[in-house]
Amino acid sequence: MHSIQALRERIAARAQEVRSLVEKNNDKWTPDLQSQYDAGMAEIEDLKAQLKRVEDYLALEAEQAENDKLAGAAARRAPGAKAGDRLAELYNKFLRQGEKSITAEEWREIRATMSTTTPGEGGYTVQPEVATRIVDALKQFGGMRAVAQVIRTAMGNDMSWPTSDGTAEVGELIAQNTTATAADPTFGTVAVVTYKFSSKIVAVPFELLQDSQIDVAAFVENRLVQRIGRITNQFFTTGTGTAQPRGVVTGATLGKTGTTGQTTSVIFDDLVDLVHSVDPAYRASGSCRFMMADSSLKVVRKLKDSQNRPVFLPGYEGLGGAMGDSLLGYAVQINQDVAAMAANAKSILFGDFNQYVVRDVMAPTLFRFEDSAYAKLGQVGFLMWHRAGGNLLDTAAVKYYANSAT
C-alpha cells in the first residue's frame, strides 16, 4: 500500500505533466496529445481514488485502534472478551457520543444480538461481555454474591421457589408382612421477588469523554458497579423482606447468644456452639462457612482454644492455588454489611450460604444524560438501573451468633 505522501506527490507530479502538456502544445493540439491528456487525467483520477481509499482506511484504522484499546482493556478485566468486538465498539461509541451517534442500523444490530427492545432514548442494555464483567465485579463488593446461589431470569415477575427440609425425616424398621407407614415430605415455597436498584447519577466531564487515551468504559462501569454492588449487598445481608429483599441475617435463625459480658467479643466455646447449631447435613455440604465484618474477624483472630492454640488459620499459597483463611476448619467470608460486634448485634453468621438465592433480571441498563443541567457544567450524566432480589431458601441452613445484651 502506497503512503498518503507518496500518492500526493504522484498526483502533483502527474498533474504538472498534464498542465505542461497543455501549455506547451495549446496552439497545436492533436489527437495524439488528446490521448496523452486523457491518459494523464485518468491516471490522476485513479491516484485520487487510491488516496481516498488509503485515507478512509487509515481513519478507520485509527478509530478501530481506539476501540481496540478500550475493548482490549475490557478483555484484560474479563478473560474471554474479544478485543475489537462489534458490540464493544458500539458500547464505547454510546458512552462517548450518546445515543444520537448510533444509527438505526446499529440499534437493530444491538437488539438482534442482545434480544432487547430497549428504544434509542438514552437507554442501552449492557451487552453480554460487559454484563459478565459487571456481575463479576459485583462479587467484589460485600461478599454475598461470592457465596450465594446466583441465577438470572428473563422476566421480573415474582418467583416462588419450592423448599423442603428433610433433615428431621427418618425411615423405619418394621417386621415382615407389615405395611409401611406413610410420611409424605412437607413442601413449602419461598418468594424470590425482584426490586429496582439505582446507581445514582455519575457526572463525567466532557474532557474525559473526548480524551481517546481514557478507558471511558472502565471508568463509568467501575463507578456505577461499585454503587450497585454496595447497595444490593446491603439488602442481601440485612434487608427486611418488606418492599425489599430479605437479607441473610433477617432470614437466618438464632444459633447462639453470647455469654454474659460478651457484648463486643466472642469466646471459643460460643463459636463451637454456633457451628454445631447447624445440622450436620448442611455442614457436610462443603458450602458451609463463617461470615462476619472485618472488625469481628479481628476479634476472632485473637481467640485461642483450650490448649492455647489459635482457632483462626490465615490462608497461604498452596501448590494447588491460593487457600483461604479458615476458622475451626471452615472458610471465612468478609461482609462489611454484617453488624459489628455490639450489644445484641447479630455479628457472626455460619452455615450453607448456597441456600441464599440472588436473582438478577436480565442485564443492567445504562442511561446517558445530556440535558442542560449537565451541559452548563460541561458534563454528561450516566445512570445504571439494575433489577435484583434475594432470599434465604432454608432458614435452618444459616444460623447467627448474637452478642450478649449485657
Side-chain angles (χ1 to χ4, degrees):
M1 181 185 295
H2 297 291
S3 68
I4 288 180
Q5 183 60 33
L7 287 170
R8 286 174 176 168
E9 289 175 354
R10 287 181 61 187
I11 291 171
R14 197 70 179 94
Q16 181 60 46
E17 291 174 1
V18 171
R19 283 200 302 271
S20 295
L21 180 68
V22 173
E23 290 172 355
K24 293 179 178 179
N25 301 287
N26 191 39
D27 58 343
K28 48 182 180 179
W29 198 250
T30 65
D32 180 63
L33 293 174
Q34 182 64 47
S35 295
Q36 294 180 47
Y37 173 85
D38 291 339
M41 293 301 297
E43 184 178 350
I44 290 172
E45 292 301 314
D46 181 63
L47 290 171
K48 286 184 176 179
Q50 290 184 49
L51 177 62
K52 178 67 166 55
R53 287 194 295 270
V54 172
E55 289 176 334
D56 289 346
Y57 170 80
L58 293 177
L60 180 62
E61 190 174 51
E63 181 180 358
Q64 187 65 49
E66 179 178 329
N67 288 333
D68 283 350
K69 179 167 55 182
L70 294 169
R76 290 190 293 274
R77 295 192 303 275
K82 297 179 180 179
D85 179 82
R86 175 61 174 164
L87 287 177
E89 295 175 21
L90 294 178
Y91 180 58
N92 284 289
K93 183 177 181 180
F94 169 75
L95 292 179
R96 290 185 182 279
Q97 303 173 31
E99 46 91 14
K100 292 180 181 178
S101 68
I102 299 180
T103 66
E105 179 61 33
E106 289 172 335
W107 277 118
R108 283 193 292 271
E109 184 177 350
I110 292 169
R111 292 169 188 156
T113 305
M114 299 179 194
S115 299
T116 177
T117 56
T118 302
E121 298 176 352
Y124 191 104
T125 301
V126 179
Q127 71 254 33
E129 290 82 0
V130 175
T132 299
R133 254 194 339 267
I134 289 174
V135 171
D136 287 342
L138 288 175
K139 293 180 181 179
Q140 302 172 16
F141 298 96
M144 282 303 298
R145 282 180 178 270
V147 297
Q149 179 181 171
V150 181
I151 63 172
R152 177 172 291 181
T153 58
M155 303 294 290
N157 53 297
D158 293 356
M159 174 185 291
S160 293
W161 199 287
T163 62
S164 179
D165 182 0
T167 56
E169 297 176 5
V170 296
E172 62 179 348
L173 173 65
I174 61 175
Q176 294 183 17
N177 302 318
T178 303
T179 302
T181 304
D184 294 333
T186 301
F187 290 92
T189 59
V190 172
V192 184
V193 182
T194 58
Y195 301 90
K196 184 166 65 174
F197 293 92
S198 158
S199 65
K200 295 184 179 179
I201 297 174
V202 173
V204 179
F206 288 158
E207 294 84 355
L208 199 61
L209 296 175
Q210 294 168 352
D211 188 343
S212 62
Q213 300 302 312
I214 299 297
D215 188 344
V216 172
F219 176 84
V220 173
E221 284 172 26
N222 287 342
R223 289 297 177 90
L224 301 180
V225 168
Q226 286 176 18
R227 297 179 180 186
I228 293 290
R230 291 190 178 105
I231 188 62
T232 53
N233 189 79
Q234 176 183 320
F235 283 102
F236 295 157
T237 305
T238 59
T240 64
T242 302
Q244 57 186 251
R246 184 172 71 154
V248 67
V249 175
T250 305
T253 52
L254 176 65
K256 179 65 179 182
T257 300
T259 305
T260 300
Q262 305 301 317
T263 54
T264 58
S265 59
V266 61
I267 62 175
F268 172 73
D269 288 353
D270 287 348
L271 285 179
V272 173
D273 288 342
L274 176 62
V275 169
H276 287 273
S277 70
V278 175
D279 192 278
Y282 295 111
R283 303 206 307 268
S285 68
S287 301
C288 278
R289 66 190 64 229
F290 286 94
M291 178 180 283
M292 65 190 80
D294 189 63
S295 59
S296 297
L297 180 61
K298 180 180 179 180
V299 174
V300 169
R301 292 181 68 171
K302 300 175 182 179
L303 291 180
K304 308 285 193 300
D305 64 12
S306 60
Q307 302 300 312
N308 205 37
R309 296 171 300 192
V311 297
F312 173 85
L313 296 177
Y316 64 93
E317 292 295 324
L319 295 177
M323 298 178 65
D325 297 335
S326 64
L327 176 62
L328 299 180
Y330 295 95
V332 180
Q333 177 65 50
I334 296 300
N335 183 345
Q336 292 294 78
D337 287 312
V338 176
M341 290 191 177
N344 291 319
K346 301 175 181 178
S347 58
I348 301 178
L349 301 174
F350 177 81
D352 183 357
F353 288 89
N354 195 51
Q355 294 298 315
Y356 191 91
V357 169
V358 170
R359 178 188 173 196
D360 294 322
V361 179
M362 298 185 69
T365 302
L366 180 67
F367 283 79
R368 187 181 194 274
F369 304 99
E370 297 178 321
D371 55 69
S372 59
Y374 297 96
K376 65 183 180 183
L377 297 174
Q379 300 173 336
V380 173
F382 293 95
L383 171 66
M384 182 175 288
W385 292 104
H386 183 55
R387 296 176 66 193
N391 206 341
L392 182 61
L393 302 181
D394 189 344
T395 57
V398 179
K399 300 296 183 77
Y400 65 82
Y401 165 80
N403 290 90
S404 174
T406 58

